[in-house]
């Protein structure tokens, strides 16, 4: 019997980006989209085009780059959003517009202040307008979990008639139990039959998003919306890796279903997202947590040594976690070993990026004895996702004594000229950022600052993420910096945000003048 394929719709770049503190810059989004394509995701929700010029720009670039996955943009059921979505994905090989409006009584009455028939009319108009841009239109009944099933059927009839090919039923507030999702999906999938694909989008407020997605698949859903590491609004979305591995590991129950996911890319994808967003999965997180394959108890260790399956239901290699490869690099490691390690970690770099990353590896290896896989992942990701280097840090000199005034002298390169300036501040980091502001003639407002250590040991790399607002009217910009010295990493992160801001301004100016 041929298997039924469950479409995997990844919304890490859209709903996942709504996780507090998870914003990403354009280069990072492009890198993530390429990795999602490699993972075998069917649909990549690349963002919400109408949300900001930055979102539009990222979706457009992803649409130009991705070849085998469908690229999708979210749009409210209003013309302006749908037009922006249609234009942003125009160049994609495979494209979809995902439009939505709320259908639950509470949302219609209090949020939309619209009657059910007005909501149906708006939904139909939105789908018809979206069809002017693409064939593949998904319609979501926001808060379907708390909507009346009879109304869900009525609006589904109307939007399918208007051209929608996928009907998504989000449990927007993560309220439902698996048997309730099962009932809703069964009702809708038997009602719509093969007129549309039924999809689910479960939030994790009660920790049931994955269980609800599996219940939906068992009852007729043929698309699940999910995110890597379960990122997403509030408690997050259903985790892609948990759904996919549940279907695979329990082939005895779900043998009729398959996905297009290459599970060996799960771990590299999870690490990439963690390193870009700075949000680590909890250590005991299923599938990708640091401890997911660690056996601590003596009894368990004994069992695993005698026969792995005594305590392991899946192999780490199945998700691309190579526990046998313990090679740690250091200052004597040559280019070949470095290249080999990159290949094992799943990175394919062109010569220019390889040379730049190897150079940074050598500088790091001079200061840090052992270089772990996570250090290398951080180096590569940092190299591949940084904005064009308009400003580049040359050196940093700090004066900070507990009783004195913290000051920073910063040397920065721009267009082959070195600019030196200095400033005092309320703390060392404040002094560094103020000096960079003096050099760039822009006044950044620091909205968020996060530092984490990338790997182990006193000489661990510091990874700093900043969120800076250079213009009150526009969204704050993310910057990342990496160095053994936290202050240097902080300066790099701030300059990274500055470069992203300036390159975005430059692009916007070019787009406006070329129209
Ligand atoms: O949770 C939700 O309802 C959503 C929709 C926009 C699909 O994210
Ligand atoms: Zn959502």
């Amino acid at each position: 019997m041929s298997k039924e394929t469950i479409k995997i719709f990844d919304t890490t770049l859209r709903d996942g980006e709504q996780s507090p503190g998870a914003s990403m810059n354009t280069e990072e989004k492009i890198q993530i989209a390429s990795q999602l394509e490699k993972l075998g995701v069917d649909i990549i929700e690349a963002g919400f085009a109408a949300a900001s010029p930055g979102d539009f720009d990222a979706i457009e670039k992803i649409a130009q780059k991705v070849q085998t996955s469908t690229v999708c943009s979210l749009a409210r059921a209003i013309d302006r959003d749908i037009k922006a979505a249609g234009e942003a994905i125009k160049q994609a090989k495979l494209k979809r517009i995902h439009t939505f409006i709320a259908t639950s009584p509470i949302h219609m009455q209090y949020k939309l202040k619209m009657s059910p028939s007005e909501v149906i009319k708006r939904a139909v108009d939105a789908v018809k307008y979206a069809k002017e841009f693409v064939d593949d239109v998904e319609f979501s009944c926001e808060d379907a979990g708390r909507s009346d099933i009879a109304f869900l059927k009525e609006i589904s009839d109307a939007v399918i008639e208007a051209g929608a090919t996928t009907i998504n039923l989000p449990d927007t507030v993560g309220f439902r139990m698996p048997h309730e999702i099962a009932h809703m999906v069964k009702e809708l999938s038997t009602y719509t039959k093969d007129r549309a694909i039924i999809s689910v989008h479960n939030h994790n407020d009660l920790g049931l998003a994955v269980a609800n997605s599996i219940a939906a698949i068992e009852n007729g859903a043929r698309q699940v919306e999910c995110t890597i590491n379960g990122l997403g609004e509030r408690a997050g979305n259903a985790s892609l890796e948990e759904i996919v591995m549940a279907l695979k590991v329990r082939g005895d129950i779900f043998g009729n279903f398959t996905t297009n996911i290459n599970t060996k890319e799960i771990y590299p994808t999870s690490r990439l997202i963690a390193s870009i967003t700075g949000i680590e999965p909890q250590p005991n997180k299923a599938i990708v947590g640091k401890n997911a394959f660690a056996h601590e108890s003596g009894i368990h260790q004994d069992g695993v040594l005698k026969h792995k399956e005594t305590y392991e239901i899946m192999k780490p290699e199945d998700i691309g976690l190579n526990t046998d490869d313990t090679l740690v690099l250091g200052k004597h490691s040559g280019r070949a070993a470095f290249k080999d390690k990159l290949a094992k970690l799943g990175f394919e770099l062109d010569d220019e990026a390889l040379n730049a990353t190897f150079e940074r590896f050598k500088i790091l290896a001079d200061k840090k004895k052992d270089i772990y896989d996570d250090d290398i992942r951080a180096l590569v990701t940092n190299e591949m996702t940084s904005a064009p280097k308009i400003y580049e840090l040359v050196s940093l000199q700090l004066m900070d004594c507990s009783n004195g005034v913290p000051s920073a002298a910063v040397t920065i390169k721009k267009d082959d000229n070195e600019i030196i300036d200095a400033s005092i501040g309320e703390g060392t980091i404040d002094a560094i950022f103020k000096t960079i502001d003096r050099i760039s003639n822009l006044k950044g407002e620091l909205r968020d600052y996060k530092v984490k250590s990338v790997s182990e040991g006193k000489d661990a790399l510091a990874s700093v993420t900043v969120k800076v607002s250079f213009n009150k009217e526009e969204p704050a910009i993310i910057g990342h910096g990496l160095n053994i010295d936290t202050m240097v990493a902080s300066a790099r992160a701030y300059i990274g945000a500055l470069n992203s801001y300036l390159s975005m301004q430059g692009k916007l100016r070019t787009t406006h003048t070329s129209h």
Side-chain angles (χ1 to χ4, degrees):
M1 200 173 93
S2 71
K3 296 190 180 207
E4 280 201 75
T5 303
I6 305 299
K7 285 185 193 237
I8 302 295
F9 176 115
D10 180 278
T11 183
T12 308
L13 292 171
R14 199 276 298 167
D15 214 321
E17 208 201 12
Q18 290 171 221
S19 303
S23 338
M24 309 156 211
N25 68 29
T26 300
E27 285 72 21
E28 290 164 343
K29 287 184 182 175
I30 297 169
Q31 166 129 16
I32 290 174
S34 298
Q35 180 59 35
L36 291 172
E37 183 177 30
K38 202 164 167 197
L39 176 66
V41 157
D42 297 284
I43 301 110
I44 298 172
E45 188 161 56
F48 185 175
S52 72
D55 276 55
F56 185 98
D57 182 49
I59 299 170
E60 191 172 48
K61 292 222 169 64
I62 290 169
Q64 288 159 355
K65 176 123 205 228
V66 167
Q67 296 294 309
T68 54
S69 308
T70 297
V71 178
C72 168
S73 170
L74 184 68
R76 287 168 298 179
I78 53 180
D79 286 2
R80 185 175 70 84
D81 278 27
I82 294 167
K83 186 162 187 264
E87 283 174 358
I89 59 171
K90 195 162 62 195
Q91 295 174 65
K93 214 164 174 187
L94 303 163
K95 46 190 167 223
R96 171 181 293 190
I97 292 178
H98 174 194
T99 185
F100 72 99
I101 191 164
T103 51
S104 62
I106 186 170
H107 275 233
M108 290 192 288
Q109 183 180 349
Y110 294 103
K111 187 182 81 173
L112 299 175
K113 301 190 193 323
M114 285 167 76
S115 68
S117 53
E118 284 169 331
V119 167
I120 293 183
K121 181 170 179 331
R122 177 79 76 77
V124 166
D125 289 348
V127 170
K128 281 189 179 155
Y129 188 43
K131 284 297 247 194
E132 292 183 20
F133 297 90
V134 289
D135 291 332
D136 184 352
V137 175
E138 170 172 334
F139 175 76
S140 274
C141 309
E142 191 193 6
D143 204 18
R146 293 188 297 174
S147 302
D148 294 333
I149 288 186
F151 185 60
L152 290 177
K153 289 180 181 170
E154 193 184 343
I155 197 164
S156 296
D157 273 340
V159 293
I160 291 171
E161 177 71 24
T165 41
T166 301
I167 303 291
N168 184 37
L169 305 172
D171 183 21
T172 304
V173 290
F175 176 69
R176 289 293 169 200
M177 297 290 126
H179 70 277
E180 294 173 304
I181 294 288
H183 173 68
M184 173 178 74
V185 169
K186 181 133 213 124
E187 283 285 328
L188 267 294
S189 60
T190 40
Y191 182 70
T192 55
K193 295 205 179 68
D194 54 7
R195 291 186 290 146
I197 287 181
I198 295 297
S199 163
V200 284
H201 173 114
N202 290 304
H203 277 271
N204 204 30
D205 299 67
L206 294 173
L208 290 166
V210 171
N212 286 348
S213 305
I214 300 284
I217 291 171
E218 286 180 299
N219 284 280
R222 292 297 170 261
Q223 175 179 287
V224 279
E225 302 196 354
C226 42
T227 57
I228 301 294
N229 299 344
L231 287 182
E233 184 84 30
R234 303 183 311 279
N237 288 58
S239 134
L240 180 150
E241 59 277 10
E242 292 178 26
I243 297 174
V244 169
M245 290 312 286
L247 295 179
K248 185 176 162 96
V249 171
R250 295 309 308 272
D252 53 328
I253 306 173
F254 302 116
N256 286 345
F257 302 123
T258 184
T259 69
N260 290 320
I261 296 296
N262 172 4
T263 63
K264 288 193 186 312
E265 291 296 335
I266 286 180
Y267 191 70
T269 313
S270 166
R271 295 315 307 150
L272 179 70
I273 303 287
S275 106
I276 286 180
T277 59
I279 302 176
E280 273 297 322
Q282 74 211 50
N284 57 327
K285 159 97 175 57
I287 318 292
V288 293
K290 201 166 170 240
N291 299 341
F293 293 92
H295 301 280
E296 187 73 17
S297 117
I299 299 172
H300 289 204
Q301 287 172 351
D302 181 53
V304 169
L305 287 173
K306 287 178 174 147
H307 186 75
K308 277 199 166 145
E309 285 76 26
T310 49
Y311 287 100
E312 274 189 10
I313 59 164
M314 60 194 139
K315 296 198 275 299
E317 306 86 88
D318 291 345
I319 62 154
L321 171 60
N322 193 350
T323 47
D324 295 338
D325 181 25
T326 49
L327 182 69
V328 176
L329 300 185
K331 73 172 175 188
H332 299 298
S333 307
R335 207 186 150 83
F338 182 69
K339 206 174 162 187
D340 182 61
K341 178 60 102 181
L342 288 185
K344 287 203 174 107
L345 294 177
F347 292 111
E348 290 155 27
L349 269 58
D350 60 26
D351 281 351
E352 199 185 324
L354 178 67
N355 290 343
T357 320
F358 185 61
E359 224 169 86
R360 292 186 63 189
F361 162 75
K362 280 300 202 188
I363 295 170
L364 177 64
D366 261 342
K367 298 186 188 146
K368 187 175 186 322
K369 189 169 165 286
D370 294 326
I371 300 193
Y372 299 95
D373 289 359
D374 273 348
D375 294 320
I376 294 175
R377 283 193 188 96
L379 274 185
V380 178
T381 308
N382 198 260
E383 183 61 39
M384 289 167 79
T385 58
S386 46
K389 293 185 176 77
I390 301 171
Y391 287 99
E392 213 173 328
L393 181 71
V394 177
S395 67
L396 184 62
Q397 256 183 298
L398 303 171
M399 270 277 291
D400 181 22
C401 34
S402 40
N403 299 320
V405 181
S407 66
V410 184
T411 309
I412 285 182
K413 195 160 92 180
K414 186 181 184 230
D415 302 330
D416 286 331
N417 297 320
E418 288 196 355
I419 313 162
I420 307 174
D421 211 330
S423 186
I424 55 167
E426 283 173 27
T428 313
I429 290 184
D430 186 45
I432 298 172
F433 294 174
K434 274 193 178 132
T435 314
I436 299 170
D437 282 352
R438 282 167 64 97
I439 293 176
S440 67
N441 258 325
L442 283 168
K443 185 151 171 32
E445 204 177 290
L446 187 66
R447 292 281 169 81
D448 195 17
Y449 175 91
K450 262 194 287 195
V451 60
K452 83 174 176 77
S453 102
V454 172
S455 57
E456 299 149 38
K458 280 191 194 148
D459 60 354
L461 266 179
S463 165
V464 172
T465 305
V466 294
K467 210 169 176 185
V468 189
S469 166
F470 293 100
N471 179 341
K472 285 197 176 60
E473 313 290 305
E474 292 168 20
I477 310 281
I478 303 284
H480 295 287
L482 200 62
N483 199 269
I484 276 197
D485 185 307
T486 309
M487 295 303 138
V488 176
S490 304
R492 287 211 171 127
Y494 196 86
I495 292 172
L498 175 66
N499 286 337
S500 278
Y501 175 72
L502 292 173
S503 67
M504 204 132 79
Q505 295 298 308
K507 268 174 224 144
L508 293 179
R509 266 198 303 278
T510 332
T511 333
H512 287 163
T513 43
S514 63
H515 275 179

